[in-house]
Amino acid sequence: MQHFKNLTDMHRANGFPMPENPLFSLYRCTHTCGFGDREFTSDFYMIGFKKLKAGQIMYGRTKYDHDNGSMMFIKPRQVIQFNSVEYDEDAFIMFIHEDFLNGHFLHNEISKYAFFDYEANEALHLSPSEEQIMWDLYYKIEAEYRNNTDEYSRDIMLTHIDSILKYSQRFYKRQFINRTELSGKTVSKFNEVLAAYFKNGLLLTQGLPSVNALASQLNLSPRYLSDMLKQETGKTAIELIHIYLINEAKNRLKSDYQSVSEIAYELGFENLPYFSRLFKKETGISPNQFKKQLVN
């Protein structure tokens, strides 16, 4: 698999014009983009706007089909592949080398945008007015990119990129709400697969339920699932797993025939102190104190 460390190699390999900036570049696609059909990784963030007519994009080896999404966000060293891609309309893609962010507030802020960890089938859908906002920001970045570089250029471009990310965060929240209305409550489905995990005895064979495992059953990426649950409940996937585990623990602690350690191990905790800390965090008291209260 090819890995691109610099933009010059990326542009040369795909037949793009050489970048104006060694750490930041733009490329406009008209119906096709010449990425070839091979997997690759890079040291760049990639922000793309596209409406697929045909073909497939693979992000993290997860298939994307042309019915989904207008924008996608790719982080450095993620596996990406474009297979025979054709676009309905013009598209754009931005390449932002990690080093371009050094010393700028976006260097730390960009990692807070969870959508860089979403898979391609969770791409951002945009309304016509939202598309116009993104294109307006793109044109501002492009104008700065094409003009003679001065001491303000980098900051101006990064400021507009920051705006794209903030708008994307807003639009994703709208998408979570709309998706929930279309497909039913995510939290209900999440609780169903979590309950099935317990019912099918997976605690004993696979240990504590992970966000990754439950997200896979719901055909969502872990970050996208957590963000949807946060929108619905105010809590992330791992927080809801912990609440479920502790509620189950409290139910079992009401019986006299099992010790705290036995209950902890049955619930998938290999580490008793970890179980006790989590129980106290959720309830305010230790499992032993909880059990004594029931006796008294």
Side-chain angles (χ1 to χ4, degrees):
M1 184 190 307
Q2 189 164 10
H3 177 78
F4 295 104
K5 291 186 176 182
N6 62 71
L7 289 175
T8 299
D9 289 346
M10 162 75 83
H11 279 242
R12 184 180 292 116
N14 293 291
F16 301 162
M18 286 298 99
E20 301 281 338
N21 186 305
L23 297 177
F24 176 79
S25 66
L26 305 169
Y27 185 68
R28 285 280 299 275
C29 307
T30 304
H31 299 301
T32 61
C33 269
F35 281 102
D37 290 345
R38 65 196 180 282
E39 289 184 336
F40 67 91
T41 58
S42 75
D43 288 342
F44 327 130
Y45 289 95
M46 298 165 65
I47 299 174
F49 175 94
K50 72 280 173 291
K51 289 184 177 179
L52 291 191
K53 180 179 181 180
Q56 239 177 30
I57 296 174
M58 303 283 286
Y59 182 46
R61 298 195 168 92
T62 297
K63 290 183 180 179
Y64 167 92
D65 66 55
H66 57 80
D67 293 329
N68 291 325
S70 296
M71 291 196 75
M72 62 187 301
F73 304 84
I74 300 164
K75 64 183 180 180
R77 290 166 294 282
Q78 180 60 282
V79 178
I80 186 79
Q81 184 176 2
F82 294 76
N83 294 328
S84 305
V85 170
E86 294 180 27
Y87 300 103
D88 265 336
E89 302 172 14
D90 283 355
F92 69 73
I93 190 161
M94 300 182 198
F95 303 99
I96 309 163
H97 196 285
E98 291 173 305
D99 292 348
F100 193 63
L101 304 176
N102 288 345
H104 193 273
F105 72 87
L106 259 184
H107 182 270
N108 295 322
E109 284 295 309
I110 199 166
S111 63
K112 298 178 182 177
Y113 290 105
F115 45 74
F116 280 101
D117 286 318
Y118 296 168
E119 293 172 350
N121 58 352
E122 295 151 359
L124 177 59
H125 300 249
L126 297 176
S127 69
S129 62
E130 292 167 352
E131 287 182 12
Q132 190 58 53
I133 288 171
M134 292 303 187
W135 275 110
D136 288 346
L137 287 166
Y138 171 82
Y139 290 135
K140 289 176 180 177
I141 295 168
E142 185 181 47
E144 196 64 36
Y145 177 74
R146 303 294 179 196
N147 288 336
N148 293 328
T149 302
D150 59 26
E151 68 267 32
Y152 302 105
S153 300
R154 173 175 170 269
D155 192 51
I156 289 170
M157 288 191 289
L158 286 176
T159 297
H160 292 317
I161 290 168
D162 180 52
S163 294
I164 286 176
L165 298 177
K166 283 186 168 67
Y167 274 114
S168 298
Q169 187 87 307
R170 170 189 281 178
F171 299 155
Y172 260 117
K173 287 192 174 182
R174 180 263 306 148
Q175 184 168 311
F176 296 149
I177 294 169
N178 291 345
R179 176 165 181 163
T180 298
E181 291 171 351
L182 290 171
S183 62
K185 292 290 185 182
T186 307
V187 67
S188 299
K189 295 183 178 181
F190 178 77
N191 284 333
E192 285 176 12
V193 298
L194 187 54
Y197 193 95
F198 279 72
K199 184 179 179 181
N200 296 332
L202 297 181
L203 284 169
L204 294 175
T205 59
Q206 298 184 22
L208 293 172
S210 69
V211 177
N212 284 4
L214 300 178
S216 177
Q217 291 187 53
L218 294 169
N219 297 315
L220 299 171
S221 70
R223 292 296 292 269
Y224 193 78
L225 172 62
S226 276
D227 283 355
M228 288 188 74
L229 291 171
K230 186 84 172 177
Q231 182 72 26
E232 287 186 23
T233 69
K235 297 187 181 298
T236 63
I238 193 63
E239 288 172 330
L240 291 172
I241 289 172
H242 288 165
I243 289 169
Y244 195 101
L245 283 166
I246 297 310
N247 283 339
E248 184 65 23
K250 287 195 289 187
N251 182 55
R252 297 187 186 195
L253 284 166
K254 291 176 182 177
S255 67
D256 293 329
Y257 67 90
Q258 283 186 306
S259 67
V260 170
S261 60
E262 287 173 332
I263 291 169
Y265 291 129
E266 280 191 4
L267 290 175
F269 290 89
E270 295 180 1
N271 186 314
L272 182 57
Y274 172 57
F275 169 69
S276 297
R277 286 196 304 272
L278 182 61
F279 191 95
K280 189 169 185 178
K281 178 185 174 184
E282 295 293 333
T283 66
I285 58 176
S286 71
N288 283 316
Q289 289 172 319
F290 182 85
K291 199 168 180 66
K292 286 177 182 176
Q293 282 185 358
L294 294 173
V295 173
N296 296 333

